[in-house]
Amino acid sequence: MADITQESANKMFGGWQKVFSHDSKELKCKMKFGVYIPPQAESGPVPIVYWLSGLTCTEQNFVTKAGAQQYAAKHGFLVVAPDTSPRGCNIEGEEDGWDFGTGAGFYVDATEEKWKLNYRMCSYVTKELPQIIAANFKVDSDKSAIMGHSMGGHGALICALKNPGQYKSVSAFAPICNPINCPWGVKAFTGYLGESNKEAWKEYDACELIKKYNGPPLEILVDQGKADNFLTQGQLLPDNLVSACAASGVPVVMRMQEDYDHSYFFMATFMEDHFNHHAKFLN
Amino acid sequence: MADITQESANKMFGGWQKVFSHDSKELKCKMKFGVYIPPQAESGPVPIVYWLSGLTCTEQNFVTKAGAQQYAAKHGFLVVAPDTSPRGCNIEGEEDGWDFGTGAGFYVDATEEKWKLNYRMCSYVTKELPQIIAANFKVDSDKSAIMGHSMGGHGALICALKNPGQYKSVSAFAPICNPINCPWGVKAFTGYLGESNKEAWKEYDACELIKKYNGPPLEILVDQGKADNFLTQGQLLPDNLVSACAASGVPVVMRMQEDYDHSYFFMATFMEDHFNHHAKFLN
């Protein structure tokens, strides 16, 4: 483990919840990520589930609130939870809003001058981090899945759709399904990718990427709370994902959950179902 | 619900995780408490489990990190999680330390002049709060259990031992078993009860209370991490509890858990076992 430093380690459900830091080559800054190592990893390589968090989160939110480790221990999955943006890059404006800059990397590789050196979360999550995981843990990288929440649900969907075959399965909680058509997405893509470059925007939009997806069959599971205030505000647009999947013949199970909101309370409730979903493809 | 105000409500595991505030008569200040209302409460009265938190905690720590709601939903228990001290009483010195004053009520009724008006957590938890719960929720108060962590594990033990029959069962994670013989306890009892009044101290010490307990049979479940730094520091003294129980014929299951620490990661791991323990006596 030459390139990563263990920051914390807590025994949990027979395995270990750890947090590591490292100097990211893609992001040019120090980053942290959480890793739950299931007890099964002691005896051989295990599948990997990547979790991408939402706006304002660090690696801690999922680690402390999602209640996922019990299911990871049951199925024998190593669970990797990265941070949501580069940190401390001292870019002017980086800390001005909670929905852009720090805590809001949106899982894109920025092309705008100001952001393009550091804000490369797409490459970080799909290339650098998998290499680090493969080099440091007893994993079977051919068995990887990806999931996430809100901005991270968007991230999970686009990572899976942009990299056919890299992830055996994908799921999301309340994802930003169609960022090019919602206020959060328009703000982020304008900032990171430029206002005029609308074709580049489509390369990070799940509804657009589904149109041209021609990789191995994907079966998408999404849970969406009906009492989610961001649903009402038009930030998430799950209907657009369902329509895009229908038009392209990609199977999606979109579960609209009565009374549930956008919180970790909602996610903890259905986390077991998502791990069972991934287990169908990983085990 | 004339006397309590709903501060938040999140659907979770088919029930509702809510937080309420109220003006406490015992503590003479505004207090918050968490309540998980299981789905079974819609159709009739349900048993109650009280959770007492440790030093520095508010009602939020348990609500967000313990992962207990899934087991409460399974068994049909209403779970009440109060705060750990009065708040905002403007007593000189109240905010000076993390192990005394705010966040550190130690579940005693203070007798020292400076603290005795507000710091009445024992009466708050065993009298005022049960009345509020009975008046506002569909519960069967005759079926109550109590559990807690660290300072709150101490609290759970003394509440059960001081009030024979009020709680059908009791359990604890890493409790302060013998506060009159550990630094945390000596500091707290000196402050709240007075340095000289050692007989009063014994009324809030589980190892002392067990000696004279003559209520209905109690079966105590305790989980203690072997890698708990407060164990090493002599704050918890589980051996003293085991000895006291043995001498008094009170059954205790003390499980020493290899590699586990003092954290919510530890508690989440064994939470299911504790709910199963309480279910034996509540259902």
Side-chain angles (χ1 to χ4, degrees), chain A residues 10-11 13-14 70 260-261 268-269, chain B residues 10 13-14 70 260-261 268-269:
Chain A
N10 301 89
K11 187 88 182 267
F13 289 102
Q70 60 190 299
Y260 285 88
D261 60 22
T269 302
Chain B
N10 301 88
F13 289 102
Q70 60 190 299
Y260 284 89
D261 58 23
T269 302

Side-chain angles (χ1 to χ4, degrees), chain B residues 51-199:
Chain B
W51 171 270
L52 304 184
S53 288
L55 288 165
T56 77
C57 288
T58 70
E59 84 290 344
Q60 285 294 316
N61 303 64
F62 176 78
V63 165
T64 58
K65 293 182 175 182
Q69 295 94 340
Q70 60 190 299
Y71 311 118
K74 179 186 160 199
H75 291 294
F77 297 160
L78 185 126
V79 183
V80 182
D83 202 346
T84 56
S85 77
R87 296 275 164 181
C89 295
N90 295 315
I91 301 170
E92 181 267 323
E94 193 177 32
E95 308 287 343
D96 288 359
W98 61 270
D99 55 0
F100 187 75
T102 298
F106 262 86
Y107 306 102
V108 304
D109 287 348
T111 51
E112 288 295 279
E113 196 58 32
K114 197 167 144 184
W115 307 98
K116 70 179 188 186
L117 182 69
N118 302 106
Y119 278 68
R120 297 180 50 77
M121 286 298 289
C122 185
S123 290
Y124 176 68
V125 163
T126 62
K127 293 176 189 156
E128 184 176 10
L129 201 51
Q131 287 167 8
I132 288 169
I133 298 301
N136 289 284
F137 301 92
K138 279 191 201 160
V139 290
D140 179 355
S141 296
D142 288 340
K143 293 181 176 173
S144 294
I146 193 162
M147 61 195 299
H149 171 226
S150 196
M151 175 182 75
H154 142 75
L157 292 169
I158 64 164
C159 287
L161 292 166
K162 287 170 80 71
N163 299 281
Q166 183 170 339
Y167 305 97
K168 299 293 178 226
S169 65
V170 58
S171 77
F173 294 91
I176 300 172
C177 293
N178 191 192
I180 66 174
N181 287 316
C182 80
W184 279 338
V186 169
K187 177 176 179 179
F189 289 6
T190 300
Y192 296 132
L193 305 173
E195 188 166 7
S196 58
N197 198 358
K198 296 287 165 68
E199 285 307 307

Side-chain angles (χ1 to χ4, degrees), chain A residues 104-159:
Chain A
F106 262 87
Y107 306 102
V108 303
D109 288 349
T111 51
E112 288 295 280
E113 196 58 33
K114 196 167 146 183
W115 306 99
K116 71 180 188 186
L117 181 70
N118 301 106
Y119 277 68
R120 297 180 48 76
M121 286 297 290
C122 185
S123 289
Y124 176 68
V125 164
T126 61
K127 293 175 189 157
E128 184 176 7
L129 200 52
Q131 288 167 8
I132 289 169
I133 298 301
N136 288 284
F137 302 92
K138 279 192 201 158
V139 290
D140 180 355
S141 296
D142 289 340
K143 293 181 177 174
S144 294
I146 193 162
M147 62 194 298
H149 171 226
S150 196
M151 176 183 75
H154 142 76
L157 291 170
I158 64 164
C159 287

